[in-house]
Amino acid sequence: MKLGRAWWACALAVPFYAAGCVVEIGPDPFGAEVSVDAAWTINGVPANAAECAAAGVTDVRIRVLDGAGSWIDNRLTFPCAQGSASTGPVLLEGTYDLVVEAVDRNAASVVVAATDPVTVTALFGDTITIDADFIIESIPAGT
């Protein structure tokens, strides 16, 4: 019998609730309210297949940080060589810290470079715009 995560979370929370503790389980930030437009460069050069390969970057993803955790979703992961991406509504309205990561999927999704977190507040129907320049000081061996 397969039980959902919500059931297990409730079952685990019962002893804490009975003891007078309040356990809050926050939902993930994904939903159909806020879109994302992103563009990225590598060392100031527009991302393309050659630049991405030389830097050892296969994908660019946007990590969403909120009070409940750190979230990665395929809807916010893009091929590096695209250089930019636009999504339809993918997030719920809210305030988030966003980190854009250059990832080498060939090396078990190793983060090659990342931006500092940027705090954004988005309302229903908004589009978050992100521009990132990945500074990659050394090119990985073998590329």
Side-chain angles (χ1 to χ4, degrees), residues 29-30 62-72 91 94-101 115-120:
F30 299 103
I62 301 168
R63 181 182 298 269
V64 181
L65 308 169
D66 65 7
S70 174
W71 309 92
I72 297 172
L91 292 171
T95 299
Y96 305 106
D97 287 327
L98 303 178
V99 177
V100 185
E101 299 174 332
T115 64
D116 290 330
V118 175
T119 302
V120 297

Side-chain angles (χ1 to χ4, degrees), residues 42-132:
I42 298 174
N43 295 330
V45 177
N48 57 47
E51 290 296 324
C52 293
V57 178
T58 58
D59 296 304
V60 171
R61 69 182 178 204
I62 301 168
R63 181 182 298 269
V64 181
L65 308 169
D66 65 7
S70 174
W71 309 92
I72 297 172
D73 190 272
N74 286 338
R75 295 172 288 180
L76 292 174
T77 302
F78 315 99
C80 177
Q82 280 183 200
S84 65
S86 295
T87 71
V90 67
L91 292 171
L92 296 172
E93 67 177 20
T95 299
Y96 305 106
D97 287 327
L98 303 178
V99 177
V100 185
E101 299 174 332
V103 178
D104 181 358
R105 187 173 15 105
N106 297 323
S109 294
V110 170
V111 175
V112 176
T115 64
D116 290 330
V118 175
T119 302
V120 297
T121 299
L123 301 176
F124 183 89
D126 283 353
T127 298
I128 298 169
T129 302
I130 303 169
D131 291 307

Side-chain angles (χ1 to χ4, degrees), residues 29-50:
F30 299 103
E33 297 178 353
V34 176
S35 301
V36 177
D37 286 347
W40 52 90
T41 56
I42 298 174
N43 295 330
V45 177
N48 57 47

